[in-house]
Amino acid sequence: MKINQTILKEFILVGFSVYPHVQTFLFVVFFGLYLLTLTGNLAIMGLTWVDRSLRTPMYLFLSALSFSETCYTLTIIPRMLTDLLAKNRSISVTGCGLQMSFFLALGATNCFLLTVMGYDRFLAICNPLRYPLLMTNMVCGQLVASAWAAGFLVSVIETALIFRGSFCSPNLVKHFFCHMRAVVRLSCLDSDLTEFIVMAISVSGLMGTFLLIILTYVFILSTVLRIPSAEGKQKAFSTCASHLTVVIVHFGFASIVYLKPEASGGDDTLIAVPYTVITPFLSPLIFSLRNKDMKGAFRKVLGKTILLNK
């Protein structure tokens, strides 16, 4: 336990202040990416709501993921953009705890939703005749609710472990948001043990969901390879291409953050940018550009809007 230290009531987010000459440039880049991310996710949710042909489990899952990622970016990026232009980067301990809890909850929810989407594709390809009975809209809603519940459960456990004691000075959080690894090091208690436990929970959740997705794709691949026609194989794979691409991007960037050895060095602030900014930007882009139904629905809505304006 640390002794003779001042008990903290607020933190200072160091963030990108160590790069003062590029802060304005970073603000412009991140603000642009954030607007595009919001536009992409809102477009997916809007199209799913407007176009009845998209009200199927696959697109309901996609809409749920878009909503989760919108909330996920809202917990971090607006504050980050403000701090890039502000001199006062302080945040209360309570505010830090809330930001961390929502970040962890929504990040875990995204992992669980991607896993559920993999399960949906597994049922659609490996059990197509029973798929309409097994994956109804009600079951879809229950799976989405379970993903959110599991995400917030993980968050409550990890946040409670980190914030169970007081924090000692210095009050500098070497990150652009309240990242658990950066905050736990300021704990007056045994921060090494707490850091090990919360990282073990995060890595277990990350690797567990990723391995489940890989397992579903092993079954999908074995089923697709048994399809006699090349056209049938291509059609089956096309329904999974977007999801698989997002999984690779999401878990690839996440593994850099959570599986990085402590002794490897590197700036944690820069390392977290792909996972917190780039991944949410790429996800709606991949799902919309590689999906014929989504592009078709967009053209229909655009066509109706043009006709109404005439």
Side-chain angles (χ1 to χ4, degrees):
M1 182 180 290
K2 300 174 186 177
I3 57 174
N4 297 327
Q5 299 280 351
T6 304
I7 303 301
L8 301 180
K9 292 186 178 179
E10 69 174 18
F11 297 121
I12 304 295
L13 297 172
V14 176
F16 297 100
S17 62
V18 293
Y19 309 106
H21 301 298
V22 295
Q23 285 189 96
T24 304
F25 171 73
L26 289 175
F27 174 85
V28 173
V29 172
F30 291 154
F31 183 66
L33 289 175
Y34 182 53
L35 286 180
L36 290 171
T37 302
L38 282 179
T39 303
N41 283 321
L42 291 173
I44 288 173
M45 288 186 282
L47 288 172
T48 306
W49 177 260
V50 171
D51 196 322
R52 291 184 178 275
S53 65
L54 295 180
R55 292 184 190 177
T56 60
M58 183 172 77
Y59 292 106
L60 291 175
F61 285 131
L62 178 55
S63 182
L65 180 67
S66 294
F67 177 72
S68 177
E69 288 201 328
T70 300
C71 296
Y72 174 80
T73 54
L74 279 171
T75 63
I76 302 169
I77 297 182
R79 171 72 202 220
M80 179 188 70
L81 292 172
T82 303
D83 287 346
L84 279 169
L85 300 179
K87 291 184 178 179
N88 180 16
R89 298 182 177 87
S90 63
I91 184 171
S92 67
V93 172
T94 303
C96 184
L98 286 171
Q99 187 191 53
M100 183 188 295
S101 64
F102 279 104
F103 169 77
L104 292 172
L106 294 162
T109 299
N110 289 343
C111 290
F112 291 128
L113 284 173
L114 286 170
T115 307
V116 167
M117 290 171 77
Y119 174 66
D120 173 67
R121 292 299 82 209
F122 161 74
L123 288 180
I125 293 172
C126 300
N127 208 339
L129 296 178
R130 296 188 63 202
Y131 175 73
L133 297 174
L134 295 172
M135 189 59 73
T136 62
N137 286 351
M138 182 177 288
V139 172
C140 174
Q142 291 171 345
L143 288 172
V144 169
S146 299
W148 276 81
F152 274 87
L153 177 62
V154 171
S155 170
V156 167
I157 294 170
E158 292 186 331
T159 308
L161 283 169
I162 294 170
F163 284 83
R164 74 186 193 280
S166 301
F167 295 91
C168 297
S169 60
N171 66 339
L172 300 177
V173 176
K174 296 179 180 179
H175 221 294
F176 59 84
F177 71 100
C178 289
H179 190 275
M180 59 182 183
R181 181 179 275 180
V183 174
V184 74
R185 290 169 184 165
L186 303 179
S187 175
C188 297
L189 303 177
D190 185 358
S191 60
D192 290 337
L193 178 61
T194 305
E195 182 178 353
F196 173 78
I197 294 170
V198 295
M199 288 304 294
I201 294 171
S202 296
V203 171
S204 298
L206 189 71
M207 295 306 296
T209 50
F210 180 68
L211 289 174
L212 282 173
I213 293 171
I214 293 299
L215 184 62
T216 60
Y217 273 100
V218 168
F219 286 112
I220 288 171
L221 183 61
S222 65
T223 301
V224 170
L225 291 176
R226 291 198 297 268
I227 298 174
S229 66
E231 186 181 351
K233 289 177 182 177
Q234 186 179 2
K235 187 177 179 181
F237 268 128
S238 66
T239 64
C240 303
S242 300
H243 176 255
L244 189 57
T245 306
V246 170
V247 165
I248 292 169
V249 171
H250 178 90
F251 287 94
F253 283 144
S255 64
I256 295 172
V257 175
Y258 290 101
L259 301 181
K260 181 180 78 73
E262 187 66 26
S264 65
D267 189 342
D268 286 341
T269 302
L270 295 178
I271 290 170
V273 168
Y275 183 56
T276 54
V277 180
I278 307 299
T279 300
F281 163 71
L282 290 176
S283 181
L285 198 66
I286 293 167
F287 276 120
S288 57
L289 290 179
R290 295 183 62 90
N291 191 294
K292 291 180 181 178
D293 294 336
M294 195 64 69
K295 287 190 285 187
F298 178 73
R299 289 193 195 98
K300 262 197 283 184
V301 171
L302 193 63
K304 287 179 181 178
T305 305
I306 292 171
L307 285 173
L308 287 173
N309 289 332
K310 287 181 179 180

